[in-house]
């Protein structure tokens, strides 16, 4: 018969063996990640609001090559990382989403409309990544169940289910150094001192529909294959992500995520969750319809050159170069040292 001491050791060993990596927890996020967090404004005419990833998952099914896979055709934060990276989280009540008519409620996510304090019921995500002894990058991830792509010459393009955007602040010796804002497939970086602030916190503006992030309000033009698109921002709905978020650490060497502190509903939900879902490299929306369904009445899909009305859903945080050494997600980039030259038309 084992001694009392041995029993407790055996029990401990059993626990460790059974322990899922969900027990991978680290200390709270650094204070500066919250003190200097962006205060963001959604556009006053926005129709596609912040979404809770768990609500999103409850409304999609995993598909590969347009065929549902997996147990019960369902996926949760706990099972997400068990799926391969060729999986598309496809809307269960698809395929038609006319952005202006008959959109399912979970896609427009009215529950995520921030209240007058800037509190959204949809938790944001704050992920800290320590780069070395002096530099830590803090990523603020914004998730929406739907991306309304906007219009070129009055024709709507690039709608998709699922939309991940982010702002990153680089801290050197715990002080903010510069900020990066994701804008469509790229983004821009700006030195800290040139931003507009409310107290210690920089103001960012989230464009209508496609949710690109900017540091000035007004109209921002960018070019796509077919021509010019304008992003519209204004100080519509204040969204203060620090009131409701899931917090994580990202280890640059092991590429693993750990649970840190959160706040509000995000913290409550996160307490029972694994961080492993963040490592999943698949797609958060439907796959772009196959060519055989272009101009098909049921899908409503059309394409001009390579630009289509409905495109594939995006990949998640793990695919956004969290280990970057430069400020920008892709390659090297200029860090703007003046925001007065940026387009401000309204
Ligand atoms: C599938 O559904 C059954 C019945 O509702 C449930 O017991 C089981 O846990 C589900 N499996 C998964 C992997 O969700
Ligand atoms: C720390 O990492 C940042 C970002 O990659 C880099 O610019 C900086 O030179 C590094 N500092 C040290 C001391 O290694």
């Amino acid at each position: 018969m084992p001694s009392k001491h041995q029993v407790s050791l055996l029990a401990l060993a059993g626990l460790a063996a059974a322990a899922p990596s969900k027990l991978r927890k680290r200390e709270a996020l650094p204070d500066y990640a919250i003190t200097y967090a962006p205060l963001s404004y959604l556009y006053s005419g926005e129709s596609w609001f912040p979404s809770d990833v768990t609500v999103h998952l409850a409304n999609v099914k995993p598909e590969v090559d347009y065929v549902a896979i997996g147990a019960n055709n369902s996926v949760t934060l706990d099972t997400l990382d068990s799926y391969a990276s060729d999986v598309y989280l496809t809307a269960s009540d698809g395929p038609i989403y006319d952005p202006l008519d008959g959109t399912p409620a979970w896609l427009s996510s009215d529950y995520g409309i921030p209240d007058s304090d800037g509190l959204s019921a949809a938790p944001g995500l704050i992920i800290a990544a320590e780069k070395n002894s002096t530099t830590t990058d803090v990523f603020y991830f914004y998730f929406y169940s739907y991306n309304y792509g906007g219009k070129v010459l009055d024709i709507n393009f690039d709608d998709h289910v699922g939309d991940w955007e982010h702002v990153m602040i680089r801290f050197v010796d715990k002080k903010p150094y510069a900020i990066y804002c994701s804008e469509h497939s790229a983004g821009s970086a700006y030195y800290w001192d040139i931003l507009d602030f409310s107290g210690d916190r920089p103001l960012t503006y989230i464009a209508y529909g496609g949710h690109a992030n900017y540091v000035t309000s007004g109209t921002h033009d960018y070019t796509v294959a077919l021509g010019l698109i304008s992003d519209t921002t204004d100080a519509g709905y204040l969204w203060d992500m620090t009131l409701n978020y899931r917090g994580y650490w990202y280890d640059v060497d092991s590429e693993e995520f750990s649970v840190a502190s959160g706040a509000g509903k995000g913290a409550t939900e996160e307490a029972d969750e694994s961080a492993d879902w963040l490592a999943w490299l698949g797609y958060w929306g439907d796959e772009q319809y196959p060519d055989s369904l272009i101009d098909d009445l049921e899908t409503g899909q059309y394409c001009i050159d390579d630009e289509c009305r409905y495109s594939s859903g995006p990949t998640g945080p793990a695919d956004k170069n969290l280990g970057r050494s430069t400020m920008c997600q892709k390659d090297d980039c200029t860090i703007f040292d003046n925001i007065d030259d940026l387009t401000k038309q309204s």
Side-chain angles (χ1 to χ4, degrees):
M1 207 181 130
S3 72
K4 199 173 167 194
H5 181 63
Q6 280 169 319
V7 169
S8 60
L9 272 184
L10 282 172
L12 268 181
L15 261 184
S21 45
K22 73 159 51 167
L23 297 184
R24 202 166 50 231
K25 286 206 159 107
R26 279 190 56 181
E27 70 275 22
L29 291 175
D31 289 346
Y32 56 75
I34 307 305
T35 305
Y36 300 103
L39 280 172
S40 311
Y41 284 99
L42 292 154
Y43 180 56
S44 55
E46 186 57 81
S47 302
W48 319 99
F49 290 97
S51 312
D52 188 332
V53 286
T54 59
V55 174
H56 189 79
L57 293 187
N59 286 284
V60 296
K61 54 185 190 292
E63 284 192 3
V64 174
D65 289 338
Y66 310 101
V67 176
I69 59 158
N72 301 349
N73 288 348
S74 77
V75 59
T76 64
L77 283 186
D78 278 340
T79 60
L80 188 58
D81 196 41
S82 65
Y83 289 99
S85 57
D86 60 352
V87 163
Y88 287 82
L89 300 179
T90 304
S92 302
D93 45 8
I96 298 182
Y97 300 111
D98 186 327
L100 302 173
D101 180 34
T103 302
W106 67 273
L107 275 188
S108 46
S109 306
D110 282 1
Y111 65 85
I113 298 175
D115 69 12
S116 55
D117 294 328
L119 168 65
S120 167
L125 239 65
I126 303 181
I127 304 176
E130 205 178 328
K131 296 294 160 75
N132 53 44
S133 59
T134 56
T135 302
T136 296
D137 290 348
V138 180
F139 295 82
Y140 304 85
F141 273 95
Y142 305 75
F143 179 70
Y144 312 84
S145 278
Y146 198 73
N147 180 96
Y148 174 69
K151 290 182 170 176
V152 183
L153 301 176
D154 233 22
I155 305 174
N156 175 217
F157 289 102
D158 197 27
D159 286 3
H160 51 86
V161 173
D163 187 18
W164 281 105
E165 302 286 344
H166 71 275
V167 165
M168 183 272 274
I169 298 176
R170 173 158 295 176
F171 293 89
V172 180
D173 295 328
K174 304 182 173 150
K175 294 194 181 63
Y177 164 75
I179 191 170
Y180 169 81
C181 292
S182 71
E183 298 157 7
H184 308 286
S185 56
S188 303
Y190 312 86
Y191 285 110
W192 188 258
D193 295 344
I194 63 164
L195 302 173
D196 290 334
F197 293 92
S198 169
D200 284 336
R201 302 181 58 184
L203 304 181
T204 63
Y205 298 87
I206 299 169
Y208 170 61
H211 308 127
N213 299 290
Y214 297 95
V215 294
T216 55
S217 67
T219 304
H220 308 265
D221 291 332
Y222 67 100
T223 47
V224 295
L226 294 170
L228 204 61
I229 287 202
S230 284
D231 264 341
T232 313
T233 65
D234 67 14
Y237 302 88
L238 172 68
W239 179 12
D240 181 356
M241 186 190 292
T242 65
L243 301 178
N244 180 14
Y245 68 95
R246 291 174 162 87
Y248 302 93
W249 287 94
Y250 173 75
D251 186 295
V252 175
D253 295 324
S254 68
E255 300 185 357
E256 282 181 339
F257 294 88
S258 314
V259 168
S261 52
K265 185 165 177 271
T268 311
E269 293 185 355
E270 184 182 14
D272 296 323
E273 295 163 359
S274 157
D276 293 350
W277 65 276
L278 282 164
W280 185 61
L281 285 169
Y283 303 87
W284 283 77
D286 299 37
E287 182 169 11
Q288 182 171 318
Y289 300 121
D291 289 354
S292 59
L293 291 183
I294 295 173
D295 298 329
D296 172 270
L297 279 182
E298 202 195 355
T299 62
Q301 175 74 309
Y302 49 74
C303 298
I304 299 177
D305 296 337
D306 284 338
E307 299 285 329
C308 296
R309 177 181 184 187
Y310 298 111
S311 53
S312 292
T315 51
D319 198 34
K320 303 299 189 241
N321 195 8
L322 303 182
R324 71 185 74 167
S325 53
T326 59
M327 280 298 297
C328 292
Q329 182 183 334
K330 292 180 182 169
D331 305 325
D332 215 344
C333 64
T334 308
I335 307 178
F336 287 103
D337 58 8
N338 188 339
I339 57 173
D340 298 332
D341 296 339
L342 304 177
T343 318
K344 272 189 192 176
Q345 296 178 3
S346 59

